[in-house]
Amino acid sequence: MAFLDIEHLEKSFGPMKVVKDFNLGIEKGEFISLLGPSGCGKTTVLRMVAGFETPSTGAIRIDGADMVGLRPNRRKIGMVFQAYALFPNLTVAQNVGFGLKIAGVNRTDADARVAEMLALIGLSDLGPRYPFQLSGGQQQRVALARALAPRPQVLLLDEPLSALDAKIRVSLRTEIREIQQRLGITTIFVTHDQEEALSISDRIVVMHQGIADQVGSPYEIYNRPSTRFVANFVGTLNVIEAEVTDPAKGHVRIAGAAADLGRALPSGKVSLAVRPEMISLGIHPGRETVLDGTITDVHFLGSVIRLKADIGAAVLAFDTFNATDAPPPKAGARVQLSLSAKDLLLLQD
């Protein structure tokens, strides 16, 4: 049995079912991200684990103990919200120690724990300040320290970085992951930002219309999506319609070029997908399928240049590294693109 066990969880609001037969086992110390677009049910799952919503059906167990029916303050869960939710009339130290005060921890122990938490988030000198005197990133660190101070068994983070600017988001997500690993606390992180989920998670649950479409490591989710939705939602994807020439052997033709997928395929046409970084400009060993195309767009992104080429059957986006002695081809240039059939994904609904 997993440390945090969620079985057959469902939630309906009137006739609308927003979470459908959700199952997930999370090991102790694991960092799980619930990833998906707005309205997919990820926050509803988090709120049911926290106790803010009651499941229509299903079970939630932490370390073998049934949580359904328990009030949020009885679940030993720490929660960090998107909007910080700090008490404006309390100092930073008082905010961090609020949960300890409610739990009846004696003053000496509480003060020591608050000092420990402020040191953990790198704000030891800011204990006497009030929330309005802090930046957004500092306020979110205080919210994290407040959630961790009572030593919860599980940490829940509901899109905690979405209100911050891009640069602070990147640094703070790294800090959250480092703190989580240092403490070894089981964590569920809700986000709609695929880069956040891919960069800090042990596993990702991609949700779509109330269902867990795929559960896997960041590597598996990105490189081996199991559904068309996951393939399109996570990362940039090129989709190509290919003609199956030998269903038994998995031979197809893409814009006149042959490719061997090495597995049985249905007859007719299939939808194939390939990531931009799997396409090379020019002919390269090991990338046996060669396509002729015309450059339509060139976007300089610094270390990487994103190009698009019309191959007739589709317009493919692909990446090259910036090189000072080799400028990229210009729009209108005829080029050859090469890829390996093993990098082509067969899309399924």
Side-chain angles (χ1 to χ4, degrees):
M1 180 183 293
F3 179 74
L4 172 53
D5 228 6
I6 303 172
E7 292 185 354
H8 304 298
L9 199 65
E10 297 195 347
K11 180 63 180 179
S12 298
F13 294 101
M16 183 179 294
K17 186 177 286 188
V18 296
V19 176
K20 308 166 187 175
D21 196 25
F22 185 90
N23 296 274
L24 183 64
I26 304 175
E27 299 303 326
K28 190 173 180 63
E30 195 173 14
F31 193 111
I32 297 290
S33 287
L34 303 184
L35 173 67
S38 297
C40 70
K42 58 188 185 295
T43 294
T44 303
V45 170
L46 196 78
R47 290 177 62 83
M48 286 190 282
V49 174
F52 300 137
E53 298 286 355
T54 302
S56 301
T57 60
I60 301 169
R61 288 184 292 272
I62 297 177
D63 201 16
D66 185 13
M67 295 291 112
V68 176
L70 283 182
R71 295 171 61 86
N73 63 335
R74 301 284 304 279
R75 297 192 181 201
K76 294 186 179 180
I77 283 174
M79 183 112 180
V80 179
F81 301 92
Q82 176 182 338
Y84 317 144
L86 298 178
F87 301 112
N89 59 322
L90 299 182
T91 66
V92 166
Q94 289 169 336
N95 265 283
V96 173
F98 183 80
L100 301 172
K101 182 178 179 180
I102 296 299
V105 177
N106 71 68
R107 180 68 178 271
T108 301
D109 290 344
D111 287 347
R113 182 62 174 170
V114 168
E116 180 186 350
M117 289 296 98
L118 290 178
L120 183 69
I121 62 170
L123 298 180
S124 294
D125 297 335
L126 302 187
R129 291 194 185 182
Y130 287 87
F132 75 89
Q133 297 173 305
L134 305 179
S135 67
Q138 289 171 332
Q139 289 186 57
Q140 196 58 288
R141 287 183 181 90
V142 174
L144 176 62
R146 182 180 61 183
L148 292 171
R151 294 184 172 87
Q153 291 182 300
V154 176
L155 176 64
L156 306 178
L157 302 137
D158 187 10
E159 303 206 44
L161 309 178
S162 59
L164 304 172
D165 66 56
K167 189 172 183 179
I168 294 194
R169 266 205 317 270
V170 171
S171 64
L172 191 50
R173 79 187 183 205
T174 302
E175 289 180 37
I176 288 173
R177 178 57 163 157
E178 288 174 351
I179 290 170
Q180 183 268 338
Q181 289 180 311
R182 198 180 312 164
L183 299 179
I185 187 170
T186 307
T187 300
I188 303 178
F189 181 90
V190 164
T191 183
H192 62 270
D193 187 318
Q194 55 185 280
E195 184 179 310
E196 281 180 3
L198 290 169
S199 65
I200 62 177
S201 307
D202 292 316
R203 285 189 296 155
I204 298 171
V205 181
V206 183
M207 295 192 65
H208 177 50
Q209 296 181 347
I211 295 170
D213 244 30
Q214 186 174 353
V215 181
S217 69
Y219 180 88
E220 292 166 341
I221 294 293
Y222 186 84
N223 289 302
R224 293 290 177 261
S226 61
T227 69
R228 183 185 291 264
F229 172 79
V230 175
N232 280 287
F233 185 75
V234 180
T236 302
L237 199 70
N238 295 296
V239 179
I240 312 167
E241 295 299 315
E243 184 73 34
V244 178
T245 56
D246 189 330
K249 294 182 178 179
H251 294 174
V252 300
R253 293 195 73 80
I254 304 168
D260 179 5
L261 300 189
R263 59 185 183 276
L265 298 172
S267 300
K269 290 188 176 181
V270 293
S271 294
L272 302 176
V274 61
R275 301 288 187 192
E277 64 270 24
M278 299 301 175
I279 301 172
S280 297
L281 180 62
I283 299 175
H284 292 262
R287 299 198 167 183
E288 68 284 351
T289 300
V290 179
L291 307 169
D292 295 318
T294 302
I295 297 295
T296 60
D297 288 291
V298 180
H299 298 282
F300 184 78
L301 304 176
S303 61
V304 172
I305 301 171
R306 170 67 54 87
L307 301 101
K308 291 184 179 180
D310 188 346
I311 63 168
V315 175
L316 300 184
F318 64 99
D319 296 334
T320 65
F321 285 111
N322 177 42
T324 56
D325 58 345
K330 295 181 180 180
R334 294 288 294 171
V335 295
Q336 287 184 307
L337 307 178
S338 57
L339 56 89
S340 173
K342 66 179 176 58
D343 296 322
L344 291 166
L345 305 172
L346 178 64
L347 294 184
Q348 301 174 356
D349 292 324

